[in-house]
Amino acid sequence: MTPDSRSPTPDSLSTELRRLEEIVHQLEGEDADLDRALALFEEGVTRLKAARLRLAEAEAKVQRVLEDAAGTLSLVDFDV
Amino acid sequence: MRETAYTVSELSAELKGALESAVGQVWIKGEVSGLKAYQSGHWYFTLRDADAQLRCVMWQTYTRRVKEPPAEGTEVYVLGRPSLWAERGELRLSVVTMLPTSGVGFQQLALEKTRAALDKDGLFALERKRALPPFPRAIAVVTSLEGAALRDIVAVARGRWPAVRLLIIPAKVQGDEAGGELLAALTLVNRLDVDLCLVGRGGGSREDLSAFNLEPVCRAVAAVKVPTVSAVGHETDISLTDLVADARAPTPSAAVVMVLPDRADVARHVGALGGRLAHGLTRRTRVIAERLVRSGDRLQGATMRLVVQRRHDVGRLAGQLELLSPLKLLGRGYSVATLDTGKLVRSKDQVPAGTRFTLRVADGEVPSRAEER
């Protein structure tokens, strides 16, 4: 069994920021479709909120990896 | 004995094969004589002692690691492989490493041998180096539970990027068991779902750091499936794991700084993107309005109504944006009017003469009342 060591947030911050940069770039571009601009803006606001939430996430989690005699891995919180 | 005669080529090939398989790569001690360093970087020389001599060649790939050609008569250790140069009918030694005998201990010889073996398999090649992920979410940390390194790593990580998860895989980092434990821990990394692996320890004597020069440990670093960062000892210490890993950091703390972004920097970047987002939309609507005016379009009435409607949408969205602190729309001179019911004032029809409402500006609220129009 592989313990799930990922953060619960499915979309990573780097994806979030990459998309946000794309949106800003497109909005700053010359294409003049207003509906499209509004849709981009709306998505941008959502991404912005998500990025700020991720930045505000709780303290770094430190865990120790343990392997039992059968070779099964487990994670236990670790105080440094 | 063979019934028919060998051709010269046949016998040469057979001798070459026999020689190479019988001897292989070995260390040889001798004095350098008649060294000729060519423009190409290749060196040709003779290695001799009182009773014998060997022709040697050292290719540019290897000579560039030796600072300069040794003087005539210098006693050296060379690591090389004897072979037969059939075209010239000569026995020749292909040298890959050269060390002066003065001041070189056995440990250094072993280190050079490991280095040569890893190099031969291409484990130091720059093409192998993988890029580090920009925002790692989970990092495997292979180090000792006892040392200061782990405390430093955790402290720096918490300061920089709190959204990270550190998975500690403990291993002894010095002493006889260190090699085996590091190898096991590095192998275990491949069973974890992580973005990055950090392996290292704090400073110590050369002997203390020697586990990070062991061939199996270096090969285990190379076999880790995610990008690796090696951080062993202080600034000046370089271990073979440093050369095999995708990146090398001078200390464990520096490794964390290398792999984790600083939250404050990223927050500033996000803030700037928010500003550009708002500005981009404002500019876009202005451009469109100007175009409509310029074109003198007869459908102006209908179209302008659409634009007004769109501007209204923009206003609503800008209201959402205002809640995001970096934008500070209010600070730029905008204000927001709300009725006592908490509703935003979006139309003059909402505020007949005498209606009280609150005007929100950057530094507070202004109680207001609509006048006769």
Side-chain angles (χ1 to χ4, degrees):
Chain A
M1 186 202 79
T2 302
D4 176 22
S5 48
R6 297 277 182 189
S7 287
T9 323
D11 209 6
S12 82
L13 184 61
S14 72
T15 321
E16 210 74 81
L17 285 183
R18 225 180 1 252
R19 177 65 190 140
L20 197 50
E21 276 159 19
E22 259 171 41
I23 289 170
V24 168
H25 191 73
Q26 285 179 34
L27 259 185
E28 288 173 343
E30 287 308 311
D31 181 3
D33 183 333
L34 190 56
D35 281 322
R36 171 99 183 110
L38 284 170
L40 281 173
F41 182 77
E42 230 158 345
E43 187 191 341
V45 170
T46 312
R47 300 262 175 194
L48 208 56
K49 278 181 181 163
R52 295 181 64 81
L53 262 180
R54 273 197 61 89
L55 276 176
E57 262 178 38
E59 193 171 63
K61 197 162 192 178
V62 183
Q63 294 176 303
R64 184 179 168 177
V65 181
L66 295 174
E67 186 176 17
D68 68 15
T72 309
L73 299 184
S74 56
L75 302 175
V76 292
D77 286 349
F78 184 72
D79 255 342
V80 181
Chain B
M1 201 180 92
R2 229 168 89 136
E3 295 292 322
T4 55
Y6 279 101
T7 64
V8 174
S9 301
E10 278 169 356
L11 184 60
S12 293
E14 200 155 303
L15 286 173
K16 183 176 154 79
L19 183 62
E20 286 177 359
S21 63
V23 183
Q25 186 162 278
V26 285
W27 283 102
I28 305 122
K29 184 165 89 166
E31 284 177 12
V32 173
S33 163
L35 188 142
K36 209 160 158 44
Y38 284 90
Q39 200 71 45
S40 56
H42 308 319
W43 295 354
Y44 292 85
F45 57 97
T46 300
L47 205 60
R48 63 169 72 208
D49 61 16
D51 303 312
Q53 57 179 358
L54 271 172
R55 288 294 301 155
C56 300
V57 62
M58 193 169 182
W59 305 116
Q60 182 266 342
T61 326
Y62 304 109
T63 59
R64 74 194 148 118
R65 282 210 228 97
V66 187
K67 297 234 159 41
E68 56 186 61
E72 178 76 16
T74 309
E75 192 183 50
V76 294
Y77 287 117
V78 298
L79 180 63
R81 195 179 285 279
S83 184
L84 191 75
W85 188 11
E87 294 90 328
R88 295 277 290 269
E90 274 182 20
L91 177 71
R92 191 165 71 171
L93 192 70
S94 263
V95 176
V96 295
T97 304
M98 179 186 285
L99 298 169
T101 51
S102 55
V104 174
F106 186 72
Q107 204 186 4
Q108 184 69 19
L109 285 184
L111 179 72
E112 287 304 322
K113 192 171 179 181
T114 306
R115 182 202 295 269
L118 296 171
D119 195 13
K120 181 167 166 286
D121 290 345
L123 296 190
F124 302 147
L126 290 178
E127 308 87 81
R128 273 191 78 254
K129 307 285 180 203
R130 294 166 290 191
L132 306 181
F135 301 103
R137 283 176 294 179
I139 301 177
V141 179
V142 175
T143 192
S144 161
L145 291 183
E146 275 94 43
L150 182 56
R151 281 198 305 278
D152 290 350
I153 288 169
V154 171
V156 178
R158 286 195 164 133
R160 282 183 79 81
W161 193 248
V164 73
R165 185 183 284 197
L166 301 178
L167 301 186
I168 316 297
I169 311 171
K172 287 207 174 72
V173 292
Q174 65 191 70
D176 291 341
E177 293 154 39
E181 293 201 6
L182 283 170
L183 174 63
L186 287 162
T187 310
L188 200 149
V189 171
N190 284 341
R191 295 172 57 198
L192 297 171
D193 191 7
V194 291
D195 306 314
L196 191 73
C197 172
L198 204 161
V199 56
R201 57 156 292 152
S205 70
R206 182 188 263 200
E207 178 61 34
D208 287 342
L209 309 183
S210 63
F212 292 85
N213 289 326
L214 295 172
E215 189 169 339
V217 173
C218 291
R219 290 193 184 275
V221 169
V224 172
K225 287 180 188 148
V226 291
T228 49
V229 178
S230 168
V232 179
H234 296 309
E235 278 80 356
T236 51
D237 303 316
I238 293 206
S239 66
L240 292 183
T241 53
D242 287 347
L243 302 181
V244 172
D246 294 300
R248 160 189 190 257
T251 63
S253 308
V256 180
V257 171
M258 179 187 283
V259 303
L260 288 180
D262 188 351
R263 175 158 62 166
D265 287 345
V266 179
R268 270 192 292 279
H269 180 53
V270 169
L273 283 173
R276 283 171 62 192
L277 191 65
H279 184 255
L281 187 69
T282 314
R283 198 189 58 88
R284 181 68 66 88
T285 52
R286 202 179 53 231
V287 167
I288 290 166
E290 281 166 4
R291 272 188 203 169
L292 286 172
V293 171
R294 262 205 311 276
S295 70
D297 197 316
R298 292 297 163 210
L299 295 171
Q300 212 178 35
T303 316
M304 283 313 284
R305 266 200 300 284
L306 182 66
V307 172
V308 167
Q309 170 65 33
R310 287 308 188 211
R311 280 213 172 137
H312 181 77
D313 288 346
V314 173
R316 182 173 58 80
L317 290 165
Q320 285 181 27
L321 250 182
E322 175 264 317
L323 296 173
L324 304 165
S325 62
L327 303 178
K328 297 193 173 64
L329 275 180
L330 294 184
R332 302 203 318 236
Y334 290 82
S335 57
V336 177
T338 44
L339 297 171
D340 291 344
T341 59
K343 272 198 168 168
L344 282 176
V345 178
R346 299 170 184 279
S347 155
K348 60 182 170 55
D349 301 337
Q350 283 175 274
V351 280
T355 311
R356 290 188 181 282
F357 61 94
T358 307
L359 203 56
R360 226 173 110 206
V361 293
D363 56 353
E365 293 181 344
V366 183
S368 314
R369 210 166 70 99
E371 297 295 340
E372 287 292 347
R373 282 159 281 184

